[in-house]
Amino acid sequence: MTTQAARVREMFGSIAARYDIANHLLSCGIDFSWRERAARIVTDWHPHSIADLATGTGDLALALQKKLPDAEIAGVDFLQPVLGDAMNLPFGDGSFDCVTIAFGLRNLENCTAALGEMSRVIKSNGHLLVLEFSLPTTPILRALYRFYLHRCLPLLGSSLTGEKNAYDYLGDSIEEFPSGEAMCQLMVENGFTSPTFKPLTGGIVTIYTATKQ
Ligand SMILES: C[S@@+](CC[C@H](N)C(=O)[O-])C[C@H]1O[C@@H](n2cnc3c(N)ncnc32)[C@H](O)[C@@H]1O
């Protein structure tokens, strides 16, 4: 494991217990509606088997299970019962109808390699859904959000979790991560077709979907 991967792993390990509560508070509970929206999209695909990568404490996996009680859902994380590295998945080719990843792709050391790995484990014509932070495109909203992200969030996050670094990292990683058309292009380069993206809540998060070729 490289230094960056170890740093991300250690960081999430250190705040996992308080992470959910802090995030629900910091997003004023809107994060539930983002996962609900993602779960509705996945439900329309009628998958029988789903891998939810970087599942954390399983918020998206639980939202999916509620809507798809008969589906088999594997939650994959460094920290969870189904242990696994999203960049080296412990599954055979074409194992799942669908792969989901919420607030995880940005944290992986090599997003391109991870998309390739996701494409490998999805069946032909199966689906990928990515839910990820992004920046608003409207200039005023973008400026206001950047102020919140870089000035307010690290202070609020550190008072709730005691880990300022994790929230400094959040802002920096959102700035650097490809979004919108750039993310769609990455998906196409890694074995997917028909990419779509839908910004939510003024563009502070985006849901991406694509189909495995
Ligand atoms: C921000 S949390 C997201 C949790 C959850 N998906 C959600 O919606 O809140 C990111 C998770 O990614 C996990 N993670 C980081 N790198 C990973 C990797 N290479 N493979 C699997 N999980 C990883 C961390 O352990 C952490 O639980």
Side-chain angles (χ1 to χ4, degrees), residues 118-192:
M118 293 173 200
S119 158
R120 181 184 70 74
V121 301
I122 299 176
K123 291 174 189 168
S124 188
N125 298 316
H127 299 277
L128 170 67
L129 180 140
V130 176
L131 171 60
E132 193 48 87
F133 285 114
S134 45
L135 291 172
T137 46
T138 317
I140 290 183
L141 254 188
R142 199 176 173 101
L144 285 173
Y145 183 62
R146 277 187 161 142
F147 181 78
Y148 172 72
L149 194 60
H150 297 297
R151 301 292 173 89
C152 309
L153 195 64
L155 298 178
L156 292 170
S158 83
S159 63
L160 288 169
T161 65
E163 287 287 329
K164 181 169 179 297
N165 284 352
Y167 290 90
D168 282 334
Y169 165 82
L170 178 67
D172 294 344
S173 66
I174 293 171
E175 292 282 351
E176 286 162 19
F177 194 65
S179 60
E181 294 290 357
M183 175 51 65
C184 290
Q185 182 61 32
L186 264 187
M187 288 170 155
V188 169
E189 286 166 10
N190 286 283
F192 293 97

Side-chain angles (χ1 to χ4, degrees), residues 5 8-9 12-13 16 19-20 23-24 31 35 52-61 76-80 84-89 101-109 131 133 170:
V8 169
R9 183 173 177 162
F12 284 112
Y19 169 84
D20 281 357
N23 287 358
H24 301 328
D31 61 318
R35 291 189 191 84
D52 181 45
L53 309 184
T55 196
T57 49
D59 279 347
L60 179 57
V76 180
D77 199 286
F78 281 151
L79 310 170
Q80 290 293 307
D85 181 347
M87 290 180 300
N88 184 17
L89 290 169
I101 181 163
F103 309 114
L105 194 54
R106 181 179 32 86
N107 299 314
L108 303 181
E109 196 183 5
L131 171 60
F133 285 114
L170 178 67

